[in-house]
Amino acid sequence: MGSVFLPNLRTGWHVDQAILSEDDRVVVLRFGREEETPCMIIDELLYSIADKIKNFAVIYLVNLDKVPDFNIMYELDQNKLEPYTLMFFYRNKHILCDFGTGNNNKLNFPIYDKQELIDIIETIYRGARKGKGLVISPKDYSRAAKNI
């Protein structure tokens, strides 16, 4: 149900505008398909924290089938093992986060705890404000990512 309440970006132009137009907050993009169960779960989680993080982050949803423009560029949907991907941008710059998984470009493993996700986004925001292009996650997810 979270996908109903969070803003959906319908074209590549809308995605670009969302990234370009935000100067003071982190733009969190969820790429995925809202009909898939893991995507529904993360959408619910994102919706539940949206109000808590509104001062430093904004969340948008992007359907991989309706907006395929970024699939190759961001290596999305390369395999069906990634039901969703979260990516973070600040002042038109892709912010990388070291989760301990070997993939710093995106978050594509399950997270079920609200506070954990808030902590990740806040860490990215604080690092990005300091001009860092790569931040270290508050928790090491190397084992969590292997249990997918």
Side-chain angles (χ1 to χ4, degrees):
M1 202 63 182
S3 62
V4 174
F5 297 110
L6 292 170
N8 284 272
L9 302 175
R10 308 240 180 256
T11 67
W13 183 84
H14 289 105
V15 174
D16 286 338
Q17 290 307 303
I19 294 169
L20 287 169
S21 65
E22 194 60 58
D23 287 332
D24 299 323
R25 299 184 292 176
V26 169
V27 175
V28 180
L29 296 179
R30 190 279 291 145
F31 293 94
R33 295 176 184 87
E34 43 279 330
E35 65 272 5
E36 293 183 7
T37 303
C39 204
M40 288 181 202
I41 293 169
I42 197 69
D43 287 354
E44 283 295 318
L45 191 63
L46 289 167
Y47 174 68
S48 71
I49 68 167
D51 196 49
K52 294 176 179 141
I53 65 171
K54 68 182 177 188
N55 292 329
F56 59 90
V58 60
I59 302 166
Y60 295 102
L61 309 180
V62 182
N63 185 300
L64 289 173
D65 295 326
K66 295 176 184 170
V67 187
D69 309 38
F70 304 97
N71 293 359
I72 293 173
M73 182 189 326
Y74 294 136
E75 299 175 356
L76 305 170
D77 202 33
Q78 294 295 321
N79 57 29
K80 298 292 182 181
L81 298 176
E82 293 179 10
Y84 66 85
T85 297
L86 295 180
M87 296 186 78
F88 311 94
F89 297 85
Y90 185 75
R91 295 186 176 162
N92 194 28
K93 183 178 178 187
H94 180 200
I95 304 300
L96 307 177
C97 187
D98 184 357
F99 297 105
T101 62
N103 186 352
N104 297 341
N105 294 325
K106 54 193 172 185
L107 188 157
N108 57 359
F109 50 87
I111 291 189
Y112 302 106
D113 184 74
K114 292 178 191 181
Q115 191 56 51
E116 218 171 294
L117 189 53
I118 291 170
D119 291 346
I120 289 170
I121 296 170
E122 187 175 4
T123 299
I124 290 169
Y125 171 72
R126 289 174 188 249
R129 278 194 56 206
K130 293 177 183 174
K132 295 182 179 181
L134 172 67
V135 299
I136 307 299
S137 169
K139 180 179 173 185
D140 182 2
Y141 291 94
S142 56
R143 292 184 183 198
K146 291 178 184 176
N147 294 332
I148 297 177

